[in-house]
Amino acid sequence: MKIEDIINLTDGTLTNEPQVQAISAATVFPSKVEHGDLFFSSTQEDIDKAIEHGAYAIVYDNKKIIKTDDEIAWIEVSDIKLAAFKLIRYVTLKKEAEFFLLEPHEMSFLKMILTHKGNVAFMADEWRKVFEQILNSDDYLFVGTDQELMKLIKPDIKKLKEDVEGYLIGDTLFKSTFKVGGYVYQEKDLVPFHLEYLLRVVNFCDTYELPYDIERIKYTKHFIPVFIDANLQSTAKGKSDRVAIFTDNLDDISRAREYIKRSNNWVKSIVLTPPKTKVEGIDRPHWFETEEELKEILKNIHFNYAFIYKADRSILNTIKEEYSLF
């Protein structure tokens, strides 16, 4: 790519009169710079390393950068991150790449049911890693959960189709029987209000011919029920009416409590959160700051279901979870 094309794409300003006229590739990591590359950075140390490795052009937004080589191109921009993604937009148009913004639950199910992940690229949450993923790979189908990053690539980012095939046949809070693709899946470890996410993911896989297996379904990291005894030790379902439910989001707690109101009037539920957490429909949840405080609440308060929001993972050393996390 010619230097003048880079200037136009990044809305940059050439601040010297270089000898070089074109670059062969681009990167944001000094360790990956090869002879003839374009390098994006505003860190003097990284820029110096890139030049040592043979960089032909530098894109930067720090006016204090010292130009140590007048033969290469120095391109100043107003924001290096935005400039990098302007180049990415150009690249994605050329390679006809597709991008989808997924909800965290959708991403969890996609990673769970795929039997081969080579046909889809899971985007990182750090912009430099995303830059490398898109620019220096042959992938054409990308999925991510970071809305801000996605919109830097495509303002009209796609989401998974909502009106899809499949429906619930029977359910409890911790088991679901459902039909999709002409098959009935019985009593799966699936929270019923998570089925909508799974069905959207299945439709996505079918549309892009991604191999998957619904039999791989289990609870996601967003909602993990663990049956416990009076000593807070995990036990088999049916041996206890006490369940500790670990969640990483408040929406699942609200939806689960609504489900209980409709289906299990006898169930007493409590909600445990870090201090000053606001939970819809609850004036004051049980607050905890330490693992010991959490254990004391669970030991001393009567409950059937305890929804535990953002508990320190060390609590799982006591209450053993039965499902591996992503």
Side-chain angles (χ1 to χ4, degrees):
M1 181 180 287
K2 293 181 179 179
I3 297 297
E4 61 184 278
D5 293 330
I6 297 168
I7 295 169
N8 291 333
L9 285 171
T10 60
D11 291 328
T13 301
L14 187 64
T15 59
N16 70 323
E17 297 181 1
Q19 297 296 313
V20 299
Q21 298 299 315
I23 55 95
S24 54
T27 184
V28 292
F29 296 119
S31 60
K32 293 188 176 183
V33 173
E34 296 182 356
H35 189 77
D37 281 358
L38 165 67
F39 182 57
F40 286 81
S41 180
S42 284
T43 304
Q44 188 71 54
E45 181 180 357
D46 287 348
I47 290 173
D48 292 342
K49 288 180 182 178
I51 293 173
E52 288 177 9
H53 293 159
Y56 267 22
I58 306 295
V59 174
Y60 65 99
D61 63 5
N62 182 358
K63 294 183 180 296
K64 295 182 181 180
I65 290 295
I66 300 172
K67 303 180 184 67
T68 56
D69 188 333
D70 288 332
E71 293 187 357
I72 70 171
W74 295 83
I75 302 169
E76 185 177 333
V77 295
S78 59
D79 186 300
I80 193 168
K81 180 178 175 181
L82 293 179
F85 277 89
K86 286 175 182 177
L87 177 61
I88 287 297
R89 285 188 188 183
Y90 171 77
V91 171
T92 57
L93 286 173
K94 285 194 67 176
K95 70 193 304 186
E96 297 182 347
E98 290 192 73
F99 295 83
F100 284 85
L101 175 65
L102 272 58
E103 295 184 32
H105 291 64
E106 293 170 343
M107 183 66 83
S108 293
F109 281 120
L110 181 60
K111 290 181 177 180
M112 184 186 295
I113 69 173
L114 279 180
T115 56
H116 178 66
K117 297 181 174 68
N119 297 329
V120 59
F122 295 91
M123 294 172 61
D125 291 330
E126 202 279 321
W127 76 267
R128 292 174 179 82
K129 292 180 181 179
V130 170
F131 180 93
E132 295 290 332
Q133 275 184 295
I134 298 172
L135 193 69
N136 298 319
S137 77
D138 295 325
D139 296 317
Y140 76 93
L141 182 60
F142 295 84
V143 295
T145 58
D146 190 317
Q147 184 171 353
E148 180 185 349
L149 275 180
M150 288 295 226
K151 286 193 173 182
L152 287 175
I153 302 165
K154 284 185 176 291
D156 54 343
I157 199 71
K158 296 179 181 178
K159 295 184 179 181
L160 299 192
K161 184 180 177 182
E162 293 193 2
D163 184 17
V164 296
E165 179 203 0
Y167 56 88
L168 199 63
I169 296 175
D171 60 279
T172 66
L173 183 57
F174 307 123
K175 294 283 186 179
S176 295
T177 297
F178 57 93
K179 185 174 183 178
V180 62
Y183 296 93
V184 174
Y185 297 88
Q186 295 188 348
E187 301 238 322
K188 293 299 179 184
D189 289 348
L190 176 70
V191 183
F193 48 82
H194 282 182
L195 179 62
E196 61 187 276
Y197 306 114
L198 173 61
L199 294 180
R200 292 200 288 263
V201 167
V202 169
N203 177 265
F204 175 73
C205 290
D206 286 337
T207 301
Y208 288 90
E209 299 182 345
L210 303 175
Y212 66 91
D213 183 2
I214 295 180
E215 294 294 346
R216 297 164 69 113
I217 283 297
K218 58 183 179 181
Y219 301 120
T220 69
K221 64 182 180 180
H222 310 294
F223 194 97
I224 307 170
V226 182
F227 285 82
I228 58 175
D229 60 23
N231 296 318
L232 305 187
Q233 296 295 314
S234 62
T235 186
K237 181 182 178 182
K239 291 187 176 182
S240 174
D241 62 354
R242 288 157 54 92
V243 189
I245 303 166
F246 295 89
T247 72
D248 65 358
N249 67 100
L250 295 174
D251 184 59
D252 275 355
I253 294 177
S254 296
R255 296 181 74 177
R257 293 181 71 245
E258 284 299 319
Y259 181 95
I260 292 169
K261 287 180 182 178
R262 294 194 307 270
S263 309
N264 304 94
N265 291 328
W266 60 270
V267 169
K268 176 177 173 55
S269 67
I270 61 173
V271 178
L272 299 86
T273 72
K276 299 182 180 179
T277 303
K278 294 182 179 180
V279 182
E280 184 179 352
I282 299 179
D283 293 334
R284 190 187 184 286
H286 298 279
W287 288 345
F288 65 89
E289 292 189 13
T290 66
E291 177 180 327
E292 290 304 316
E293 289 180 359
L294 175 55
K295 291 178 184 177
E296 286 303 309
I297 295 171
L298 293 175
K299 285 180 180 179
N300 297 317
I301 294 182
H302 170 69
F303 67 88
N304 300 114
Y305 297 165
F307 296 98
I308 306 170
Y309 175 59
K310 286 190 175 180
D312 190 293
R313 291 300 185 192
S314 62
I315 188 68
L316 297 180
N317 294 330
T318 301
I319 306 175
K320 298 177 181 178
E321 74 171 273
E322 298 171 341
Y323 291 86
S324 60
L325 304 183
F326 292 119

